[in-house]
Amino acid sequence: MIVDFHTHTTASDGELCPQELLRRAVEKGVDLLAITDHDSIDGYLDAREKLKVLANAEQQIRLISGVELSCVWSGVLVHIVGLGFDADSPFLRDKLRQQQLARIERAQLIGEKLKKYGFPGGFEYASTLAGESQVGRPHFARFMVEMGHVDTIQAAFKKYLGAGKPGDVKHTWPAMNSVVDWIKSCGGVAVVAHPLHYKITATKLRALLTDFKSAGGQAVEVISGRQMQDKTQYLAQLAEQFELHASVGSDFHKPGTSWSEIGNAGSLPSRCVPVWSAF
Ligand code: MN
Ligand code: MN
Ligand code: MN
């Protein structure tokens, strides 16, 4: 069985719309799929509707609800994936609106900072570029290039938007405990996304998992995209020690990236308890 519990659509920073993503998942033989856009379930909701009217092949794929929530633990920006929750929960909808608002407020602040440097209109321009998707620094970088303020995207980040630069406005994300709570309170399972992507020591990762577990978190991504066997074994061991279920996700954003292709992440070591055993 091919499972992919971490994918993005145009509802966040992915390139494929929900229907295209479904098609691709079917082509790749995925049996069980979760769309996990950043702080948004719009892609999932759209796909859920599309599935009702699509042809046979698509209908055979099982779609579960998903989201990837940004939060903070001990000063570190952490991503928590929520799976199998009640997507119609008004409580969750409200929390997601708050997350989206936080993103917009941050973008407005970036716009103000750039204005002070003599580049007005950035927020409006970036928002137009983002369209239905979430506005972020890459859109501001394009604004700067297209308005002739800098020559390249790289230069925009290097001079104005990168770490420590004027447009580097910090996010104000909720605490990890809170987002785990949100997911749990609408019947979902919380999963630590890509545990090896945070720039923290092994000791700190264990501390994160300890706190996550005591907050009610239940699973960890043992496989995130195409990764080396030693990483998979290491994460499988952590999952076992912390008695967490194991998830698998490609973190697919766009076609043409073989290390994060839909359904291509591989299968779990036998010592793992798959998170989908709960669904
Ligand atoms: Mn992303
Ligand atoms: Mn992530
Ligand atoms: Mn992701």
Side-chain angles (χ1 to χ4, degrees), residues 6 8 38 68 251 253:
H6 192 145
H8 295 270
H38 297 284
E68 180 173 20
D251 210 354
H253 281 74

Side-chain angles (χ1 to χ4, degrees), residues 3-5 32-36 44 51 61-67 82-85 275-276 279:
V3 180
D4 195 334
F5 276 172
L32 201 48
L33 175 75
I35 292 173
T36 55
Y44 162 70
L51 263 189
I61 199 165
R62 241 189 96 202
L63 181 70
I64 67 156
S65 59
V67 69
L83 297 172
F85 48 81
V275 69
W276 52 92
F279 300 123

Side-chain angles (χ1 to χ4, degrees), residues 33-248:
L33 175 75
I35 292 173
T36 55
D37 280 306
H38 297 284
D39 305 300
S40 168
I41 56 169
D42 294 349
Y44 162 70
L45 293 176
D46 191 17
R48 189 173 72 172
E49 286 310 303
K50 293 279 162 28
L51 263 189
K52 291 177 186 163
V53 295
L54 284 172
N56 276 337
E58 270 104 327
Q59 280 173 354
Q60 279 164 19
I61 199 165
R62 241 189 96 202
L63 181 70
I64 67 156
S65 59
V67 69
E68 180 173 20
L69 297 168
S70 301
C71 61
V72 179
W73 172 82
S74 183
V76 183
L77 173 65
V78 172
H79 285 171
I80 300 293
V81 161
L83 297 172
F85 48 81
D86 169 17
D88 300 308
S89 150
F91 170 77
L92 182 71
R93 300 269 177 121
D94 188 50
K95 294 299 179 191
L96 292 174
R97 252 195 305 277
Q98 281 174 27
Q99 294 280 88
Q100 277 154 23
L101 209 64
R103 243 177 234 283
I104 292 168
E105 282 167 359
R106 172 173 178 261
Q108 280 168 336
L109 259 172
I110 295 174
E112 282 167 30
K113 298 260 183 175
L114 293 181
K115 192 174 164 191
K116 283 193 188 136
Y117 277 75
F119 313 122
F123 174 70
E124 292 73 15
Y125 198 103
S127 302
T128 308
L129 284 178
E132 294 283 287
S133 68
Q134 295 158 341
V135 61
R137 281 185 295 173
H139 303 111
F140 282 95
R142 273 183 60 194
F143 154 72
M144 304 220 55
V145 172
E146 290 172 20
M147 296 301 282
H149 300 316
V150 290
D151 289 333
T152 62
I153 297 287
Q154 288 83 346
F157 273 94
K158 204 167 169 214
K159 288 182 185 163
Y160 301 105
L161 297 164
K165 302 299 169 191
D168 174 29
V169 175
K170 295 292 169 237
H171 282 284
T172 51
W173 299 124
M176 181 175 73
N177 291 10
S178 308
V179 304
V180 169
D181 218 48
W182 301 349
I183 296 165
K184 288 211 66 159
S185 66
C186 52
V189 173
V191 187
V192 177
H194 41 63
L196 299 180
H197 288 198
Y198 312 112
K199 294 186 179 93
I200 56 177
T201 61
T203 310
K204 213 166 171 198
L205 179 57
R206 301 179 70 86
L208 186 157
L209 292 177
T210 305
D211 287 355
F212 173 74
K213 175 97 183 171
S214 49
Q218 288 171 277
V220 60
E221 278 181 0
V222 165
I223 299 182
S224 173
R226 290 276 290 275
Q227 67 186 21
M228 302 296 284
Q229 264 308 314
D230 56 334
K231 288 187 175 176
T232 303
Q233 291 305 333
Y234 170 60
L235 290 169
Q237 190 188 334
L238 280 179
E240 196 172 52
Q241 280 171 7
F242 285 85
E243 296 180 333
L244 292 166
H245 290 177
S247 189
V248 175

